[in-house]
Each structure stands twice: as C-alpha cells, then as structure tokens.
Amino acid sequence: MVGVDLGLPHFDSELEELGLLAETAGLEPVGRVTAKRKAPDAALFVGSGKAEEIKALAEQTGASEILFDQALSPAQQRNLERFMERPVNDRTLLILEIFAQRARSHEGKLQVELARLQYLSTRLVRRWTHLERQRGGIGARGGPGETQIELDRRMIGDAIKRTKERLEKVKRQRNTQRRQRERRDTYNVSLVGYTNAGKSTLFNALVKARAYAANQLFATLDTTTRELYLAEAGRSVALSDTVGFIRDLPHNLIDAFQATLHEAAEADLLLHVVDASNPHWMEQVDEVQRVLREIGADGVAQLLVFNKLDAVPAGQRPRRKVDTFEIEGAQVPRVFVSSLTGAGLPELRGLLAEAAQQDGRGVVHNAPADLQETEE
C-alpha cells in the first residue's frame, strides 16, 4: 500500500483507511510505503527513486498487487505496472470493487456497473500492449491495435448508454413511490454518515428491521425504507438507510448513486450518524458535509447522532446524552447513543418526535432553550 503526502489536510500517514478498504475487498496488506511530494510525478506519480523502493518491498514481501491511496491517471497506472512488473491499482478501483461485491438490489448493481464502465472508459487508451500498431499507406485502415481500442470504446459507450437508460427507468419508479409517500403526508427521515459509523445497526435498533449490518466499510449500498412509529408524536415517519460516504469518494460513483442519494436530498430530516469512538470523527463529519453539498442535500435539517457510545472510554463519555453542536455556523441538536446497548435511543426517539411535529425545516436552528449549552 502506497500513500503520497501532497500537503493536503486529510493525509492518512498510517494508511489505516486504505488497509480497511483492502481487507473489505478481500485483500491482505503486507507492506506500507509513504512519500512526501509537492506534486505528483507525471510519469510514475512517486518518482523513480521511490518507485524502486516500492518495487523492492513488493518483491521482498511477495506482494501480488500494489495499491495507491490516491487516484492514478491511466498513463501513471500503465507506467507503474510496467516498472513494477505486477498489477497497480488505485483507491478509486478499490472502492468500485467493494461496491461491486456489496450491491444486492437490481438498482444497486446497475449503479455500480455504470460507475465501473465509466472508470474503464478512461483506461482504454494505449493499454493494449499485446497488440501491435501497424502503419498503413494513405487511405489504409489502422492496425489491429487501433481497431481493438475503437471496438472496446464503442462497446463500453453502448453499455454505458444502456445502463443509464435502465437506471432512468428505476429512478422513475422511485419517484413514483416518493410521490405516493408525499400524498400520504409522510415525514421522511434519511440516515447519512461516514461509512462504518453504525447506520444500519441504528436503523435495525429503531425499526426492528433485519437490514445487513457489519463492522466493515460499505456494508450497506442499497437504500432500505421502513415505517417508524413515534408514540410521542402520535404518527409514523419513513426511515431510510443509505450508502455511507468516504473520503475521496469517486465522482463517477456519486453520479451513479444519484438515484439512491436522492433520498437524502428529498428528506425532511437527516440523521447524521457519527462514530463517536473514532479519533478522526471531526474530519469524517466535514467529509459528509462536503458530499451533502455535492448532492444538493446541504439545506436539509440535520440531527447529529453520535453512535458507538459503548466503545468510548468511560472517562471520555459526555455527562449529558443530548446537547447541540455547531456545524457551518448553525447549532445542530446532538444525541449520544449506542445502537448495541440501546443507550440514548429513547432520547433520540424523543428528538425525532419533536422534529416530526414541527415542519421539518427549522430543526437546525430551533433547538430547545435548555439544550443551547454545548459540552466539549
């Protein structure tokens, strides 16, 4: 595993998240290399000296593949594979691979297939080293290499078009279901958050569903919606579990998952689930806010749910289960819960009931007066 510090604020010096992604995809990390550069090397991303070091470590550990924590250009990937004499892949392909393994529904599989095809379409040029280009005379056709590239590009283009058409059909069906919920005056709540924050476990705890939940990245890809009855409000709400976000989530994946992520943008309230036991939770909150802005959901009211309270050391647990926390200049209600033990769930249900009784738009700014103090 290779990470290059380009001076960005979220550099993972331990390559911890890349290691988790690799394990989730079924790979076993055997070595880690980090480097520091002002800018990526145009040819090898890391420069020839560091490339030699990586190749030597790969040979020493018997690594069958090299993973970069950053996105590689098609030319950099091709040059690195020739230099390393083994497959070289990047974070984008790794996330795509995990999504392909995790997708269960027809819609989820279509979304992953579209993202994969869009990624492959950028990798076609000059990767056909097994085919020789032949130079023809004036008016002559190109060699078999060019023919192969053109054929593959056309096939992938056709496949992208077909997949988009099928996804558009699924999107229309989802919009019909959403309009039916709107006609029934349903209050819609969507769970969002960084991957592995415990959204599915919380979803199961609230609605007693059996959605797939596991201690791994991207355990849930397909949106699941269940009815949640809130006795305190005397009404039911529609609760949806959505795909988790992650740092540097590939843009083509965000585009492909628009149909699923639309649930968040159309919700009345977002339950923003945070892993309270993760030391980098603040960076994860910032990343989720960035993706919400990208999908047009940044204007939706939020309720922060700090999950995994049972995993927080006893001396660091909050004195109160409910307070407020500032996000981008707004005071957002916050509740500490443990989806496993049930701690804080009654308070969460109370806040949900309170939000459902309001118009769902003013929750961010209208926290109860006695909750205005934030405990650090």
Side-chain angles (χ1 to χ4, degrees):
M1 301 190 299
V2 182
V4 182
D5 183 1
L6 299 170
L8 299 174
H10 300 307
F11 178 66
D12 183 3
S13 59
E14 300 296 320
L15 297 180
E16 184 180 345
E17 194 168 82
L18 185 66
L20 287 172
L21 284 168
E23 288 169 2
T24 302
L27 302 171
E28 182 188 347
V30 293
R32 299 163 195 249
V33 176
T34 56
K36 194 166 185 175
R37 292 184 63 89
K38 289 183 179 178
D41 179 73
L44 294 171
F45 197 84
V46 290
S48 56
K50 185 59 72 169
E52 287 280 7
E53 181 186 333
I54 294 166
K55 183 179 180 180
L57 181 63
E59 290 172 351
Q60 179 187 332
T61 57
S64 57
E65 184 176 340
I66 295 169
L67 289 174
F68 275 73
D69 199 23
Q70 288 83 11
L72 299 171
S73 72
Q76 287 166 338
Q77 184 180 3
R78 183 184 69 250
N79 293 338
L80 282 164
E81 285 187 342
R82 286 176 179 167
F83 188 88
M84 304 291 178
E85 298 176 339
R86 52 181 42 81
V88 176
N89 288 307
D90 60 11
R91 183 186 179 90
T92 303
L93 184 70
L94 189 57
I95 293 174
L96 282 170
E97 177 63 27
I98 294 167
F99 272 49
Q101 292 175 9
R102 294 278 181 272
R104 292 291 178 268
S105 71
H106 175 60
E107 180 184 9
K109 288 174 180 176
L110 282 176
Q111 289 168 331
V112 173
E113 179 64 11
L114 177 60
R116 193 179 68 84
L117 287 168
Q118 289 170 335
Y119 178 85
L120 285 176
S121 68
T122 67
R123 307 278 144 172
L124 283 173
V125 182
R126 296 175 63 190
R127 279 186 66 89
W128 302 97
T129 53
H130 60 291
L131 297 170
E132 291 294 330
R133 289 184 176 229
Q134 296 177 357
R135 187 174 298 172
I138 296 173
R141 291 188 62 184
E146 289 174 317
T147 306
Q148 181 68 56
I149 289 171
E150 290 305 318
L151 279 172
D152 284 327
R153 185 178 284 120
R154 194 176 306 116
M155 285 171 63
I156 285 187
D158 290 344
I160 287 174
K161 184 180 176 183
R162 283 196 306 272
T163 307
K164 280 184 174 178
E165 287 171 354
R166 291 161 72 188
L167 259 177
E168 195 57 40
K169 184 178 178 182
V170 172
K171 196 173 180 179
R172 286 197 298 270
Q173 293 170 346
R174 190 177 283 279
N175 285 336
T176 302
Q177 294 167 353
R178 190 178 291 113
R179 282 196 297 271
Q180 288 173 345
R181 290 205 300 266
E182 287 170 357
R183 280 199 293 270
R184 293 198 300 267
D185 193 29
T186 304
Y187 187 78
N188 298 303
V189 180
S190 277
L191 288 161
V192 297
Y194 207 79
T195 183
N196 205 28
K199 294 186 305 301
S200 296
T201 308
L202 178 63
F203 180 80
N204 289 339
L206 286 171
V207 298
K208 303 296 186 288
R210 291 185 179 178
Y212 181 66
N215 184 26
Q216 56 188 206
L217 305 185
F218 300 117
T220 302
L221 289 187
D222 303 310
T223 298
T224 307
T225 302
R226 294 287 185 273
E227 189 176 281
L228 170 63
Y229 180 71
L230 299 169
E232 302 91 330
R235 64 177 295 186
S236 293
V237 299
L239 185 67
S240 299
D241 186 15
T242 59
V243 63
F245 303 152
I246 196 167
R247 175 175 60 84
D248 301 330
L249 188 66
H251 281 283
N252 53 355
L253 268 179
I254 293 176
D255 292 341
F257 273 76
Q258 280 293 354
T260 300
L261 296 173
H262 202 60
E263 290 286 340
E266 294 294 315
D268 296 302
L269 177 67
L270 297 178
L271 287 192
H272 182 165
V273 185
V274 181
D275 180 355
S277 67
N278 191 308
H280 306 296
W281 64 263
M282 193 65 225
E283 293 172 12
Q284 295 182 349
V285 167
D286 290 342
E287 185 60 29
V288 171
Q289 292 300 124
R290 186 190 66 76
V291 178
L292 289 175
R293 284 193 296 273
E294 199 163 330
I295 64 173
D298 51 323
V300 181
Q302 288 187 40
L303 170 57
L304 278 171
V305 183
F306 272 56
N307 194 19
K308 303 189 181 181
L309 186 60
D310 56 291
V312 176
Q316 297 176 20
R317 292 178 189 175
R319 292 190 295 275
R320 296 192 304 176
K321 286 196 176 72
V322 181
D323 61 9
T324 61
F325 184 80
E326 185 176 313
I327 290 186
E328 298 177 353
Q331 289 295 324
V332 181
R334 173 172 66 170
V335 57
F336 290 86
V337 308
S338 168
S339 302
L340 288 179
T341 68
L345 291 185
E347 288 83 355
L348 172 57
R349 293 178 70 96
L351 288 170
L352 278 173
E354 184 183 323
Q357 287 172 325
Q358 297 180 19
D359 63 0
R361 301 293 178 194
V363 182
V364 167
H365 304 285
N366 297 341
D370 61 329
L371 300 181
Q372 290 299 325
E373 290 181 17
T374 304
E375 293 181 15
E376 294 298 332

